[in-house]
mmCIF file of all heavy atoms in Angstrom:
data_model
loop_
_atom_site.group_PDB
_atom_site.id
_atom_site.type_symbol
_atom_site.label_atom_id
_atom_site.label_comp_id
_atom_site.label_asym_id
_atom_site.label_seq_id
_atom_site.Cartn_x
_atom_site.Cartn_y
_atom_site.Cartn_z
ATOM 1 N N MET L 1 108.018 41.854 41.184
ATOM 2 C CA MET L 1 108.274 42.821 42.282
ATOM 3 C C MET L 1 109.689 43.361 42.134
ATOM 4 O O MET L 1 110.636 42.596 42.012
ATOM 5 C CB MET L 1 108.117 42.104 43.634
ATOM 6 C CG MET L 1 108.297 42.999 44.828
ATOM 7 S SD MET L 1 106.893 44.030 45.194
ATOM 8 C CE MET L 1 105.898 42.904 46.180
ATOM 9 N N HIS L 2 109.799 44.680 42.157
ATOM 10 C CA HIS L 2 111.122 45.283 42.074
ATOM 11 C C HIS L 2 111.777 45.281 43.452
ATOM 12 O O HIS L 2 111.096 45.326 44.468
ATOM 13 C CB HIS L 2 111.010 46.738 41.581
ATOM 14 C CG HIS L 2 110.815 46.830 40.096
ATOM 15 N ND1 HIS L 2 111.859 46.705 39.204
ATOM 16 C CD2 HIS L 2 109.697 47.021 39.367
ATOM 17 C CE1 HIS L 2 111.376 46.820 37.981
ATOM 18 N NE2 HIS L 2 110.063 47.012 38.048
ATOM 19 N N LYS L 3 113.098 45.234 43.440
ATOM 20 C CA LYS L 3 113.835 45.355 44.710
ATOM 21 C C LYS L 3 113.590 46.740 45.281
ATOM 22 O O LYS L 3 113.709 47.742 44.578
ATOM 23 C CB LYS L 3 115.329 45.154 44.432
ATOM 24 C CG LYS L 3 116.220 45.341 45.654
ATOM 25 C CD LYS L 3 117.692 45.310 45.207
ATOM 26 C CE LYS L 3 118.612 45.668 46.353
ATOM 27 N NZ LYS L 3 118.761 44.584 47.301
ATOM 28 N N LYS L 4 113.251 46.782 46.575
ATOM 29 C CA LYS L 4 113.036 48.073 47.236
ATOM 30 C C LYS L 4 114.387 48.663 47.581
ATOM 31 O O LYS L 4 115.197 47.996 48.222
ATOM 32 C CB LYS L 4 112.192 47.865 48.497
ATOM 33 C CG LYS L 4 111.691 49.180 49.095
ATOM 34 C CD LYS L 4 111.011 48.934 50.432
ATOM 35 C CE LYS L 4 109.792 48.059 50.307
ATOM 36 N NZ LYS L 4 108.535 48.755 50.378
ATOM 37 N N SER L 5 114.629 49.881 47.140
ATOM 38 C CA SER L 5 115.920 50.510 47.380
ATOM 39 C C SER L 5 116.129 50.773 48.870
ATOM 40 O O SER L 5 115.173 50.880 49.634
ATOM 41 C CB SER L 5 116.027 51.818 46.614
ATOM 42 O OG SER L 5 115.254 52.812 47.252
ATOM 43 N N ARG L 6 117.391 50.883 49.266
ATOM 44 C CA ARG L 6 117.703 51.163 50.667
ATOM 45 C C ARG L 6 117.094 52.491 51.077
ATOM 46 O O ARG L 6 116.619 52.651 52.196
ATOM 47 C CB ARG L 6 119.227 51.173 50.862
ATOM 48 C CG ARG L 6 119.626 51.242 52.329
ATOM 49 C CD ARG L 6 121.091 50.950 52.516
ATOM 50 N NE ARG L 6 121.921 51.971 51.895
ATOM 51 C CZ ARG L 6 123.217 52.093 52.096
ATOM 52 N NH1 ARG L 6 123.820 51.243 52.905
ATOM 53 N NH2 ARG L 6 123.912 53.011 51.503
ATOM 54 N N ALA L 7 117.097 53.476 50.165
ATOM 55 C CA ALA L 7 116.527 54.783 50.480
ATOM 56 C C ALA L 7 115.041 54.651 50.805
ATOM 57 O O ALA L 7 114.551 55.218 51.788
ATOM 58 C CB ALA L 7 116.746 55.728 49.309
ATOM 59 N N ARG L 8 114.295 53.903 49.994
ATOM 60 C CA ARG L 8 112.845 53.744 50.238
ATOM 61 C C ARG L 8 112.593 52.989 51.537
ATOM 62 O O ARG L 8 111.708 53.349 52.322
ATOM 63 C CB ARG L 8 112.194 53.006 49.067
ATOM 64 C CG ARG L 8 112.027 53.892 47.840
ATOM 65 C CD ARG L 8 111.051 53.266 46.851
ATOM 66 N NE ARG L 8 110.886 54.109 45.674
ATOM 67 C CZ ARG L 8 110.037 55.121 45.585
ATOM 68 N NH1 ARG L 8 109.276 55.429 46.625
ATOM 69 N NH2 ARG L 8 109.945 55.831 44.491
ATOM 70 N N THR L 9 113.359 51.940 51.762
ATOM 71 C CA THR L 9 113.183 51.177 52.992
ATOM 72 C C THR L 9 113.414 52.080 54.204
ATOM 73 O O THR L 9 112.652 52.055 55.165
ATOM 74 C CB THR L 9 114.177 50.000 53.020
ATOM 75 O OG1 THR L 9 113.854 49.115 51.951
ATOM 76 C CG2 THR L 9 114.108 49.244 54.327
ATOM 77 N N ARG L 10 114.444 52.912 54.125
ATOM 78 C CA ARG L 10 114.794 53.753 55.271
ATOM 79 C C ARG L 10 113.827 54.912 55.455
ATOM 80 O O ARG L 10 113.837 55.553 56.499
ATOM 81 C CB ARG L 10 116.221 54.301 55.087
ATOM 82 C CG ARG L 10 117.274 53.235 55.310
ATOM 83 C CD ARG L 10 118.656 53.814 55.160
ATOM 84 N NE ARG L 10 119.673 52.824 55.535
ATOM 85 C CZ ARG L 10 120.967 53.054 55.503
ATOM 86 N NH1 ARG L 10 121.425 54.220 55.132
ATOM 87 N NH2 ARG L 10 121.815 52.134 55.852
ATOM 88 N N HIS L 11 113.028 55.219 54.442
ATOM 89 C CA HIS L 11 112.098 56.340 54.570
ATOM 90 C C HIS L 11 110.737 55.919 55.110
ATOM 91 O O HIS L 11 109.864 56.754 55.312
ATOM 92 C CB HIS L 11 111.931 57.041 53.216
ATOM 93 C CG HIS L 11 112.974 58.090 52.988
ATOM 94 N ND1 HIS L 11 114.153 57.819 52.352
ATOM 95 C CD2 HIS L 11 113.018 59.390 53.341
ATOM 96 C CE1 HIS L 11 114.881 58.928 52.317
ATOM 97 N NE2 HIS L 11 114.214 59.889 52.903
ATOM 98 N N ARG L 12 110.531 54.617 55.330
ATOM 99 C CA ARG L 12 109.250 54.170 55.886
ATOM 100 C C ARG L 12 109.041 54.770 57.271
ATOM 101 O O ARG L 12 109.989 55.009 58.015
ATOM 102 C CB ARG L 12 109.239 52.638 55.979
ATOM 103 C CG ARG L 12 109.139 51.951 54.628
ATOM 104 C CD ARG L 12 109.182 50.457 54.820
ATOM 105 N NE ARG L 12 107.997 50.005 55.506
ATOM 106 C CZ ARG L 12 107.303 48.918 55.144
ATOM 107 N NH1 ARG L 12 107.695 48.194 54.129
ATOM 108 N NH2 ARG L 12 106.237 48.558 55.826
ATOM 109 N N ARG L 13 107.745 54.975 57.629
ATOM 110 C CA ARG L 13 107.401 55.584 58.924
ATOM 111 C C ARG L 13 108.050 54.825 60.080
ATOM 112 O O ARG L 13 108.475 55.427 61.063
ATOM 113 C CB ARG L 13 105.876 55.595 59.078
ATOM 114 C CG ARG L 13 105.384 56.308 60.318
ATOM 115 C CD ARG L 13 105.620 57.810 60.199
ATOM 116 N NE ARG L 13 105.112 58.527 61.375
ATOM 117 C CZ ARG L 13 105.841 58.709 62.470
ATOM 118 N NH1 ARG L 13 107.067 58.231 62.535
ATOM 119 N NH2 ARG L 13 105.344 59.380 63.487
ATOM 120 N N ALA L 14 108.107 53.513 59.987
ATOM 121 C CA ALA L 14 108.658 52.701 61.064
ATOM 122 C C ALA L 14 110.140 52.983 61.287
ATOM 123 O O ALA L 14 110.697 52.622 62.317
ATOM 124 C CB ALA L 14 108.454 51.208 60.762
ATOM 125 N N HIS L 15 110.787 53.629 60.310
ATOM 126 C CA HIS L 15 112.220 53.907 60.421
ATOM 127 C C HIS L 15 112.496 55.332 60.869
ATOM 128 O O HIS L 15 113.642 55.747 60.937
ATOM 129 C CB HIS L 15 112.914 53.649 59.085
ATOM 130 C CG HIS L 15 113.001 52.192 58.730
ATOM 131 N ND1 HIS L 15 114.176 51.482 58.779
ATOM 132 C CD2 HIS L 15 112.051 51.316 58.356
ATOM 133 C CE1 HIS L 15 113.934 50.233 58.434
ATOM 134 N NE2 HIS L 15 112.652 50.104 58.155
ATOM 135 N N TRP L 16 111.419 56.118 61.169
ATOM 136 C CA TRP L 16 111.609 57.518 61.556
ATOM 137 C C TRP L 16 111.992 57.598 63.023
ATOM 138 O O TRP L 16 111.241 58.083 63.859
ATOM 139 C CB TRP L 16 110.341 58.319 61.300
ATOM 140 C CG TRP L 16 110.039 58.519 59.847
ATOM 141 C CD1 TRP L 16 110.674 57.962 58.775
ATOM 142 C CD2 TRP L 16 109.011 59.346 59.292
ATOM 143 N NE1 TRP L 16 110.110 58.372 57.617
ATOM 144 C CE2 TRP L 16 109.080 59.227 57.890
ATOM 145 C CE3 TRP L 16 108.046 60.169 59.848
ATOM 146 C CZ2 TRP L 16 108.208 59.906 57.058
ATOM 147 C CZ3 TRP L 16 107.176 60.834 59.004
ATOM 148 C CH2 TRP L 16 107.259 60.706 57.634
ATOM 149 N N LYS L 17 113.134 57.127 63.343
ATOM 150 C CA LYS L 17 113.632 57.259 64.701
ATOM 151 C C LYS L 17 115.092 57.684 64.626
ATOM 152 O O LYS L 17 115.752 57.482 63.605
ATOM 153 C CB LYS L 17 113.475 55.951 65.458
ATOM 154 C CG LYS L 17 114.145 54.751 64.804
ATOM 155 C CD LYS L 17 113.948 53.509 65.662
ATOM 156 C CE LYS L 17 114.707 52.333 65.100
ATOM 157 N NZ LYS L 17 113.934 51.505 64.202
ATOM 158 N N ALA L 18 115.551 58.265 65.727
ATOM 159 C CA ALA L 18 116.923 58.761 65.729
ATOM 160 C C ALA L 18 117.892 57.598 65.606
ATOM 161 O O ALA L 18 117.770 56.591 66.295
ATOM 162 C CB ALA L 18 117.190 59.530 67.020
ATOM 163 N N ALA L 19 118.852 57.738 64.718
ATOM 164 C CA ALA L 19 119.876 56.709 64.546
ATOM 165 C C ALA L 19 121.124 57.122 65.311
ATOM 166 O O ALA L 19 121.450 58.311 65.397
ATOM 167 C CB ALA L 19 120.193 56.542 63.069
ATOM 168 N N ALA L 20 121.793 56.130 65.880
ATOM 169 C CA ALA L 20 123.025 56.423 66.613
ATOM 170 C C ALA L 20 124.067 56.955 65.636
ATOM 171 O O ALA L 20 124.195 56.433 64.533
ATOM 172 C CB ALA L 20 123.531 55.156 67.293
ATOM 173 N N PRO L 21 124.801 57.996 66.025
ATOM 174 C CA PRO L 21 125.841 58.539 65.138
ATOM 175 C C PRO L 21 127.038 57.608 65.100
ATOM 176 O O PRO L 21 128.059 57.857 65.722
ATOM 177 C CB PRO L 21 126.176 59.893 65.761
ATOM 178 C CG PRO L 21 125.824 59.740 67.205
ATOM 179 C CD PRO L 21 124.716 58.713 67.290
ATOM 180 N N LEU L 22 126.853 56.483 64.382
ATOM 181 C CA LEU L 22 127.877 55.449 64.337
ATOM 182 C C LEU L 22 128.950 55.821 63.316
ATOM 183 O O LEU L 22 128.650 56.023 62.148
ATOM 184 C CB LEU L 22 127.220 54.118 63.961
ATOM 185 C CG LEU L 22 128.116 52.879 63.963
ATOM 186 C CD1 LEU L 22 128.676 52.646 65.364
ATOM 187 C CD2 LEU L 22 127.316 51.685 63.515
ATOM 188 N N LEU L 23 130.162 55.937 63.784
ATOM 189 C CA LEU L 23 131.267 56.299 62.898
ATOM 190 C C LEU L 23 132.475 55.432 63.221
ATOM 191 O O LEU L 23 132.752 55.150 64.379
ATOM 192 C CB LEU L 23 131.645 57.775 63.066
ATOM 193 C CG LEU L 23 130.618 58.807 62.592
ATOM 194 C CD1 LEU L 23 131.077 60.197 62.982
ATOM 195 C CD2 LEU L 23 130.408 58.716 61.101
ATOM 196 N N VAL L 24 133.172 55.028 62.193
ATOM 197 C CA VAL L 24 134.429 54.302 62.377
ATOM 198 C C VAL L 24 135.495 55.030 61.567
ATOM 199 O O VAL L 24 135.185 55.804 60.661
ATOM 200 C CB VAL L 24 134.323 52.835 61.912
ATOM 201 C CG1 VAL L 24 133.292 52.077 62.726
ATOM 202 C CG2 VAL L 24 133.999 52.750 60.427
ATOM 203 N N ALA L 25 136.747 54.796 61.906
ATOM 204 C CA ALA L 25 137.831 55.423 61.153
ATOM 205 C C ALA L 25 137.867 54.839 59.751
ATOM 206 O O ALA L 25 137.688 53.641 59.556
ATOM 207 C CB ALA L 25 139.159 55.187 61.862
ATOM 208 N N CYS L 26 138.105 55.703 58.771
ATOM 209 C CA CYS L 26 138.192 55.271 57.380
ATOM 210 C C CYS L 26 139.291 54.223 57.223
ATOM 211 O O CYS L 26 140.352 54.335 57.836
ATOM 212 C CB CYS L 26 138.476 56.475 56.489
ATOM 213 S SG CYS L 26 138.701 56.054 54.751
ATOM 214 N N ALA L 27 139.003 53.197 56.420
ATOM 215 C CA ALA L 27 139.971 52.106 56.229
ATOM 216 C C ALA L 27 141.175 52.555 55.412
ATOM 217 O O ALA L 27 142.214 51.901 55.425
ATOM 218 C CB ALA L 27 139.292 50.928 55.547
ATOM 219 N N ASN L 28 141.024 53.678 54.701
ATOM 220 C CA ASN L 28 142.127 54.207 53.896
ATOM 221 C C ASN L 28 143.192 54.783 54.826
ATOM 222 O O ASN L 28 142.932 55.742 55.560
ATOM 223 C CB ASN L 28 141.572 55.290 52.956
ATOM 224 C CG ASN L 28 142.651 55.907 52.084
ATOM 225 O OD1 ASN L 28 143.806 55.474 52.093
ATOM 226 N ND2 ASN L 28 142.269 56.909 51.336
ATOM 227 N N ALA L 29 144.379 54.197 54.810
ATOM 228 C CA ALA L 29 145.448 54.613 55.722
ATOM 229 C C ALA L 29 145.820 56.075 55.514
ATOM 230 O O ALA L 29 146.298 56.732 56.436
ATOM 231 C CB ALA L 29 146.672 53.727 55.535
ATOM 232 N N ALA L 30 145.613 56.587 54.310
ATOM 233 C CA ALA L 30 145.962 57.973 54.014
ATOM 234 C C ALA L 30 144.850 58.936 54.416
ATOM 235 O O ALA L 30 145.005 60.142 54.272
ATOM 236 C CB ALA L 30 146.269 58.116 52.523
ATOM 237 N N CYS L 31 143.724 58.420 54.925
ATOM 238 C CA CYS L 31 142.572 59.273 55.237
ATOM 239 C C CYS L 31 142.275 59.230 56.737
ATOM 240 O O CYS L 31 142.472 60.197 57.439
ATOM 241 C CB CYS L 31 141.370 58.807 54.415
ATOM 242 S SG CYS L 31 139.850 59.676 54.800
ATOM 243 N N ARG L 32 141.776 58.055 57.219
ATOM 244 C CA ARG L 32 141.503 57.839 58.645
ATOM 245 C C ARG L 32 140.462 58.806 59.219
ATOM 246 O O ARG L 32 140.448 59.057 60.419
ATOM 247 C CB ARG L 32 142.801 57.924 59.463
ATOM 248 C CG ARG L 32 143.719 56.733 59.235
ATOM 249 C CD ARG L 32 143.109 55.476 59.815
ATOM 250 N NE ARG L 32 143.914 54.299 59.490
ATOM 251 C CZ ARG L 32 143.441 53.048 59.522
ATOM 252 N NH1 ARG L 32 142.193 52.844 59.835
ATOM 253 N NH2 ARG L 32 144.198 52.038 59.240
ATOM 254 N N GLN L 33 139.610 59.371 58.377
ATOM 255 C CA GLN L 33 138.564 60.273 58.867
ATOM 256 C C GLN L 33 137.405 59.439 59.406
ATOM 257 O O GLN L 33 137.177 58.322 58.952
ATOM 258 C CB GLN L 33 138.068 61.163 57.723
ATOM 259 C CG GLN L 33 139.098 62.159 57.221
ATOM 260 C CD GLN L 33 139.430 63.213 58.253
ATOM 261 O OE1 GLN L 33 138.546 63.879 58.770
ATOM 262 N NE2 GLN L 33 140.704 63.337 58.582
ATOM 263 N N PRO L 34 136.636 59.965 60.385
ATOM 264 C CA PRO L 34 135.450 59.228 60.849
ATOM 265 C C PRO L 34 134.429 59.124 59.719
ATOM 266 O O PRO L 34 134.090 60.131 59.099
ATOM 267 C CB PRO L 34 134.908 60.080 62.010
ATOM 268 C CG PRO L 34 135.731 61.282 62.101
ATOM 269 C CD PRO L 34 136.816 61.235 61.047
ATOM 270 N N THR L 35 133.950 57.916 59.480
ATOM 271 C CA THR L 35 133.042 57.665 58.364
ATOM 272 C C THR L 35 132.083 56.551 58.757
ATOM 273 O O THR L 35 132.427 55.696 59.573
ATOM 274 C CB THR L 35 133.878 57.309 57.110
ATOM 275 O OG1 THR L 35 133.087 57.427 55.965
ATOM 276 C CG2 THR L 35 134.487 55.939 57.199
ATOM 277 N N PRO L 36 130.848 56.563 58.263
ATOM 278 C CA PRO L 36 129.912 55.493 58.626
ATOM 279 C C PRO L 36 130.399 54.154 58.085
ATOM 280 O O PRO L 36 130.939 54.108 56.972
ATOM 281 C CB PRO L 36 128.591 55.901 57.946
ATOM 282 C CG PRO L 36 128.775 57.314 57.507
ATOM 283 C CD PRO L 36 130.241 57.541 57.355
ATOM 284 N N PRO L 37 130.227 53.069 58.858
ATOM 285 C CA PRO L 37 130.636 51.764 58.357
ATOM 286 C C PRO L 37 129.754 51.300 57.203
ATOM 287 O O PRO L 37 128.588 51.699 57.109
ATOM 288 C CB PRO L 37 130.482 50.841 59.570
ATOM 289 C CG PRO L 37 129.509 51.530 60.464
ATOM 290 C CD PRO L 37 129.641 52.998 60.208
ATOM 291 N N HIS L 38 130.270 50.470 56.327
ATOM 292 C CA HIS L 38 129.543 49.906 55.177
ATOM 293 C C HIS L 38 129.052 51.002 54.247
ATOM 294 O O HIS L 38 127.987 50.891 53.639
ATOM 295 C CB HIS L 38 128.369 49.015 55.637
ATOM 296 C CG HIS L 38 128.771 48.025 56.676
ATOM 297 N ND1 HIS L 38 128.163 47.936 57.907
ATOM 298 C CD2 HIS L 38 129.754 47.100 56.689
ATOM 299 C CE1 HIS L 38 128.742 46.981 58.610
ATOM 300 N NE2 HIS L 38 129.717 46.462 57.895
ATOM 301 N N ALA L 39 129.812 52.109 54.165
ATOM 302 C CA ALA L 39 129.465 53.198 53.249
ATOM 303 C C ALA L 39 130.771 53.786 52.731
ATOM 304 O O ALA L 39 131.800 53.729 53.410
ATOM 305 C CB ALA L 39 128.652 54.262 53.975
ATOM 306 N N ALA L 40 130.697 54.359 51.537
ATOM 307 C CA ALA L 40 131.892 54.989 50.986
ATOM 308 C C ALA L 40 132.278 56.176 51.861
ATOM 309 O O ALA L 40 131.423 56.914 52.348
ATOM 310 C CB ALA L 40 131.622 55.442 49.564
ATOM 311 N N CYS L 41 133.580 56.355 52.058
ATOM 312 C CA CYS L 41 134.079 57.464 52.863
ATOM 313 C C CYS L 41 133.758 58.781 52.153
ATOM 314 O O CYS L 41 133.989 58.919 50.951
ATOM 315 C CB CYS L 41 135.580 57.306 53.071
ATOM 316 S SG CYS L 41 136.318 58.687 53.954
ATOM 317 N N ARG L 42 133.223 59.777 52.888
ATOM 318 C CA ARG L 42 132.862 61.060 52.295
ATOM 319 C C ARG L 42 134.105 61.924 52.079
ATOM 320 O O ARG L 42 134.032 62.941 51.404
ATOM 321 C CB ARG L 42 131.887 61.818 53.204
ATOM 322 C CG ARG L 42 130.636 61.035 53.565
ATOM 323 C CD ARG L 42 129.754 60.715 52.370
ATOM 324 N NE ARG L 42 129.160 61.929 51.804
ATOM 325 C CZ ARG L 42 128.385 61.950 50.733
ATOM 326 N NH1 ARG L 42 128.106 60.815 50.123
ATOM 327 N NH2 ARG L 42 127.876 63.065 50.283
ATOM 328 N N HIS L 43 135.196 61.548 52.722
ATOM 329 C CA HIS L 43 136.395 62.381 52.658
ATOM 330 C C HIS L 43 137.291 61.999 51.484
ATOM 331 O O HIS L 43 137.800 62.862 50.782
ATOM 332 C CB HIS L 43 137.166 62.288 53.976
ATOM 333 C CG HIS L 43 136.323 62.604 55.177
ATOM 334 N ND1 HIS L 43 136.104 63.890 55.614
ATOM 335 C CD2 HIS L 43 135.597 61.801 55.997
ATOM 336 C CE1 HIS L 43 135.297 63.852 56.667
ATOM 337 N NE2 HIS L 43 134.974 62.610 56.922
ATOM 338 N N CYS L 44 137.489 60.690 51.288
ATOM 339 C CA CYS L 44 138.393 60.260 50.220
ATOM 340 C C CYS L 44 137.664 59.483 49.130
ATOM 341 O O CYS L 44 138.240 59.211 48.085
ATOM 342 C CB CYS L 44 139.535 59.425 50.800
ATOM 343 S SG CYS L 44 139.006 57.866 51.531
ATOM 344 N N GLY L 45 136.376 59.119 49.352
ATOM 345 C CA GLY L 45 135.607 58.433 48.318
ATOM 346 C C GLY L 45 135.988 56.985 48.121
ATOM 347 O O GLY L 45 135.633 56.380 47.118
ATOM 348 N N MET L 46 136.684 56.399 49.097
ATOM 349 C CA MET L 46 137.113 55.014 48.967
ATOM 350 C C MET L 46 136.157 54.102 49.728
ATOM 351 O O MET L 46 135.621 54.456 50.776
ATOM 352 C CB MET L 46 138.515 54.839 49.544
ATOM 353 C CG MET L 46 139.567 55.670 48.853
ATOM 354 S SD MET L 46 140.062 54.985 47.268
ATOM 355 C CE MET L 46 141.243 53.747 47.786
ATOM 356 N N TYR L 47 135.925 52.904 49.201
ATOM 357 C CA TYR L 47 135.176 51.886 49.927
ATOM 358 C C TYR L 47 135.819 50.541 49.651
ATOM 359 O O TYR L 47 135.948 50.134 48.504
ATOM 360 C CB TYR L 47 133.699 51.870 49.516
ATOM 361 C CG TYR L 47 132.904 50.840 50.274
ATOM 362 C CD1 TYR L 47 132.800 50.931 51.661
ATOM 363 C CD2 TYR L 47 132.296 49.780 49.640
ATOM 364 C CE1 TYR L 47 132.095 49.993 52.377
ATOM 365 C CE2 TYR L 47 131.583 48.834 50.347
ATOM 366 C CZ TYR L 47 131.488 48.948 51.717
ATOM 367 O OH TYR L 47 130.787 48.006 52.430
ATOM 368 N N ARG L 48 136.267 49.877 50.710
ATOM 369 C CA ARG L 48 136.947 48.580 50.629
ATOM 370 C C ARG L 48 138.099 48.642 49.631
ATOM 371 O O ARG L 48 138.240 47.787 48.755
ATOM 372 C CB ARG L 48 135.951 47.481 50.258
ATOM 373 C CG ARG L 48 134.944 47.260 51.372
ATOM 374 C CD ARG L 48 134.043 46.083 51.099
ATOM 375 N NE ARG L 48 134.792 44.826 51.009
ATOM 376 C CZ ARG L 48 134.251 43.624 51.190
ATOM 377 N NH1 ARG L 48 132.986 43.513 51.491
ATOM 378 N NH2 ARG L 48 134.968 42.558 51.069
ATOM 379 N N GLY L 49 138.911 49.694 49.756
ATOM 380 C CA GLY L 49 140.113 49.800 48.947
ATOM 381 C C GLY L 49 139.866 50.177 47.513
ATOM 382 O O GLY L 49 140.768 50.082 46.684
ATOM 383 N N ARG L 50 138.630 50.612 47.184
ATOM 384 C CA ARG L 50 138.309 50.939 45.806
ATOM 385 C C ARG L 50 137.737 52.354 45.754
ATOM 386 O O ARG L 50 136.988 52.772 46.627
ATOM 387 C CB ARG L 50 137.261 49.948 45.280
ATOM 388 C CG ARG L 50 137.151 49.860 43.784
ATOM 389 C CD ARG L 50 136.447 48.560 43.403
ATOM 390 N NE ARG L 50 135.116 48.461 44.032
ATOM 391 C CZ ARG L 50 134.007 48.920 43.425
ATOM 392 N NH1 ARG L 50 134.059 49.442 42.243
ATOM 393 N NH2 ARG L 50 132.844 48.809 44.028
ATOM 394 N N GLN L 51 138.085 53.131 44.714
ATOM 395 C CA GLN L 51 137.554 54.484 44.546
ATOM 396 C C GLN L 51 136.134 54.374 43.995
ATOM 397 O O GLN L 51 135.936 53.898 42.883
ATOM 398 C CB GLN L 51 138.430 55.280 43.582
ATOM 399 C CG GLN L 51 138.184 56.779 43.629
ATOM 400 C CD GLN L 51 138.881 57.419 44.822
ATOM 401 O OE1 GLN L 51 140.020 57.126 45.070
ATOM 402 N NE2 GLN L 51 138.192 58.278 45.539
ATOM 403 N N VAL L 52 135.145 54.752 44.785
ATOM 404 C CA VAL L 52 133.762 54.620 44.329
ATOM 405 C C VAL L 52 133.083 55.982 44.213
ATOM 406 O O VAL L 52 132.005 56.087 43.652
ATOM 407 C CB VAL L 52 132.944 53.703 45.275
ATOM 408 C CG1 VAL L 52 133.466 52.277 45.208
ATOM 409 C CG2 VAL L 52 132.963 54.214 46.696
ATOM 410 N N LEU L 53 133.706 57.032 44.743
ATOM 411 C CA LEU L 53 133.166 58.382 44.629
ATOM 412 C C LEU L 53 134.277 59.290 44.113
ATOM 413 O O LEU L 53 135.447 59.036 44.393
ATOM 414 C CB LEU L 53 132.690 58.913 45.990
ATOM 415 C CG LEU L 53 131.490 58.225 46.635
ATOM 416 C CD1 LEU L 53 131.257 58.809 48.028
ATOM 417 C CD2 LEU L 53 130.255 58.418 45.796
ATOM 418 N N PRO L 54 133.941 60.339 43.377
ATOM 419 C CA PRO L 54 134.995 61.277 42.976
ATOM 420 C C PRO L 54 135.585 61.935 44.219
ATOM 421 O O PRO L 54 134.834 62.397 45.075
ATOM 422 C CB PRO L 54 134.275 62.295 42.094
ATOM 423 C CG PRO L 54 132.827 62.041 42.259
ATOM 424 C CD PRO L 54 132.631 60.693 42.865
ATOM 425 N N PRO L 55 136.895 61.969 44.350
ATOM 426 C CA PRO L 55 137.525 62.574 45.532
ATOM 427 C C PRO L 55 137.142 64.035 45.654
ATOM 428 O O PRO L 55 137.098 64.754 44.657
ATOM 429 C CB PRO L 55 139.030 62.405 45.292
ATOM 430 C CG PRO L 55 139.161 61.440 44.164
ATOM 431 C CD PRO L 55 137.880 61.486 43.380
ATOM 432 N N ALA L 56 136.850 64.465 46.888
ATOM 433 C CA ALA L 56 136.415 65.847 47.123
ATOM 434 C C ALA L 56 137.551 66.837 46.844
ATOM 435 O O ALA L 56 138.693 66.523 47.068
ATOM 436 C CB ALA L 56 135.938 66.009 48.560
HETATM 437 ZN ZN1 ZN E 1 138.469 58.105 53.775
#
């Protein structure tokens, strides 16, 4: 059995409900933009002090 990706799990019919717009301030002191928790920041591309996305 393959691991079910987060995307597939979240696309199940049981998950088709409105999600709360949960946002926290980015942990990057130089950014501080509202960003979803436990996800890479869309503004600076940092996650837990590490560059994981190309900076916009
Ligand atoms: Zn950020």
